[in-house]
């Protein structure tokens, strides 16, 4: 499979022309939900999630049988500024751990019955230091978007995307600051565990990057302040939309990447649900800006799609109840 775009302008056009939810299937799901053997609203948000999923799959009585988890990895030139407690080599080491099945995301994907794929994006060539120049040039940005687009299986019926990349909480904070304003300190957190001095460095780096690259839309911010793994997640999210595959969003970094789509095109994240709110300081605020209510809140801050993967079974349960429960008529139960 090859990406359906060869220029950034063509990618933007695909985003602008992305399909919408299937109103007929959504209406059928709503009607079915009203006939199931339970009091109205008794399953809370599970009902809303099942109806949302049905609309995007174009099936009023769907099932989730082929979830896909994709982890993208990239290295960041801005780590030279001292924004991380870990060296950049850890990115490649963790990729090997993913490939050998030894990471948390391997276990969570397996528990959810999901396939898991890992893509390392030019780890030996970090992006540029965004305090000095754009993180990616046009060619590099386009290549990362294409990697994400091509990674999505057309046979998947649910997608979770995640990342690994030392320094990428700084990129995510810079993107959030560029898109939503405020002070740099509002968006930076301790990431992998930086001390107070490291936190101050992150805030300075974010301020400098946003001052240098302010202006433009969300995709401009992604190219100038992001990383290859963030861009790949964006490419995957847009590809999933084109295939009507619902997406579960992971943590702060994934949410910042996705926010660039929402800031570029209204409704770009209608097919996306938030898997969890992480312990990274600004994630809750960022979800609020996007109007996304997380499924889980467990104090996680691992990244690598872990929170999104964990939420797969919640969504599976919602859809299973919706499609598998009997109606009042089928069960011979009086409908009060």
């Amino acid at each position: 499979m090859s990406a359906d775009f060869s220029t950034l302008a063509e990618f933007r056009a695909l985003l602008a022309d992305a399909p919408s939810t299937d109103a007929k299937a959504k209406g059928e799901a709503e009607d079915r939900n009203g006939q199931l053997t339970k009091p109205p609203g008794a399953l809370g948000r599970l009902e809303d999630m099942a109806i949302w999923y049905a609309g995007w799959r174009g099936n009023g009585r769907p099932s989730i049988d082929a979830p896909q988890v994709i982890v993208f990895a990239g290295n960041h030139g801005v780590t030279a500024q001292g924004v991380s407690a870990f060296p950049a080599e850890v990115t490649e080491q963790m990729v090997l751990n993913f490939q050998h099945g030894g990471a948390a995301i391997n276990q969570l994907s397996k528990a959810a019955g999901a396939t898991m794929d890992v893509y390392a994006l030019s780890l030996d060539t970090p992006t540029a230091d965004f305090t000095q120049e754009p993180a990616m040039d046009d060619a590099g940005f386009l290549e990362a978007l294409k990697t994400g687009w091509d990674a999505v299986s057309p046979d998947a019926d649910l997608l979770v995307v995640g990342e690994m990349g030392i320094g990428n909480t700084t990129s995510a904070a810079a993107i959030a600051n560029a898109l939503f304003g405020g002070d740099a300190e509002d968006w930076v957190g301790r990431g992998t565990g930086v001390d107070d001095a490291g936190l101050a460095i992150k805030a300075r780096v974010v301020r400098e990057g946003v001052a240098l690259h302010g202006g433009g839309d969300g995709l401009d911010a992604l190219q100038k302040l992001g990383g290859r793994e963030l861009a790949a997640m964006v490419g995957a999210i847009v590809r999933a939309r084109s295939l009507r595959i619902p997406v579960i969003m992971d943590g702060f970094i994934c949410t910042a990447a996705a926010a660039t789509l929402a800031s570029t095109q209204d409704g770009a994240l209608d097919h996306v649900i938030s898997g969890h709110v992480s312990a990274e300081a600004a994630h809750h605020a960022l979800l609020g800006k996007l109007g996304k209510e997380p499924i889980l809140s467990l104090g996680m801050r691992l990244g690598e799609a872990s929170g999104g993967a964990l939420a797969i079974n919640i969504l599976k349960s919602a859809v299973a109840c919706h499609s598998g429960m009997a109606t009042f008529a089928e069960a011979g139960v009086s409908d009060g």
Side-chain angles (χ1 to χ4, degrees):
M1 181 175 62
S2 180
D4 294 346
F5 57 94
S6 57
T7 67
L8 294 176
E10 289 175 355
F11 181 79
R12 289 175 179 273
L14 287 169
L15 178 61
D17 295 336
S20 299
T21 189
D22 186 320
K24 180 175 181 292
K26 185 178 180 182
E28 291 171 352
E30 289 171 339
D31 289 344
R32 176 174 175 75
N33 184 61
Q35 300 172 44
L36 297 177
T37 47
K38 59 177 178 58
L43 287 176
R45 286 185 63 204
L46 293 183
E47 299 180 22
D48 298 332
M49 287 189 285
I51 293 167
W52 164 83
Y53 182 84
W56 282 105
R57 292 304 290 164
N59 183 346
R61 193 173 180 176
S63 61
I64 299 176
D65 304 305
Q68 181 185 19
V69 174
I70 312 175
V71 179
F72 299 101
N75 274 325
H76 295 251
V78 77
T79 57
Q81 301 262 1
V83 296
S84 176
F86 287 86
E89 303 87 77
V90 170
T91 302
E92 184 170 4
Q93 292 163 1
M94 281 302 300
V95 167
L96 291 173
N97 194 30
F98 298 147
Q99 292 171 340
H100 294 155
I105 187 56
N106 298 99
Q107 320 320 317
L108 294 169
S109 297
K110 187 183 302 183
T115 61
M116 184 196 150
D117 300 291
V118 183
Y119 289 81
L121 290 88
S122 304
L123 297 185
D124 56 344
T125 309
T127 54
D129 180 346
F130 65 65
T131 65
Q132 306 298 319
E133 58 185 298
M136 293 168 278
D137 60 18
D138 286 355
F141 185 42
L142 189 64
E143 181 179 1
L145 291 170
K146 286 181 176 180
T147 296
W149 180 283
D150 291 342
V152 179
S153 170
D155 297 326
D157 54 19
L158 179 65
L159 178 67
V160 176
V161 290
E163 43 58 44
M164 174 64 210
I166 296 301
N168 62 14
T169 57
T170 302
S171 276
I175 288 170
N177 193 195
L179 297 182
F180 300 112
D183 297 325
E185 287 80 3
D186 297 334
W187 298 108
V188 297
R190 297 192 182 274
T192 51
V194 295
D195 58 16
D196 289 348
L199 195 62
I201 291 171
K202 289 180 74 170
R204 172 185 60 78
V205 166
V206 167
R207 277 195 299 272
E208 291 178 1
V210 172
L212 181 62
H213 301 299
D217 63 13
L219 288 177
D220 290 324
L222 178 62
Q223 178 176 353
K224 294 172 181 177
L225 298 166
R228 295 186 185 98
E229 76 277 34
L230 278 77
M233 286 191 289
V234 163
I237 290 169
V238 177
R239 175 56 170 163
R241 176 69 168 260
S242 76
L243 296 168
R244 296 186 180 277
I245 299 172
V247 175
I248 299 180
M249 194 163 57
D250 191 40
F252 177 58
I253 297 148
C254 180
T255 305
T260 67
L261 292 172
S263 295
T264 301
Q265 181 68 42
D266 288 345
L269 299 183
D270 287 352
H271 68 305
V272 177
I273 196 167
S274 171
H276 78 128
V277 59
S278 75
E280 183 68 10
H283 191 203
H284 183 270
L286 187 54
L287 288 172
K289 295 289 187 182
L290 297 177
K292 299 290 184 184
E293 185 178 358
I295 296 173
L296 299 169
S297 178
L298 298 173
M300 298 170 66
R301 57 181 182 87
L302 180 61
E304 66 186 48
S306 55
L310 189 59
I312 291 174
N313 280 323
I314 303 297
L315 184 56
K316 273 188 167 184
S317 297
V319 171
C321 287
H322 175 85
S323 297
M325 286 177 67
T327 64
F328 282 101
E330 290 167 346
V333 175
S334 298
D335 180 357

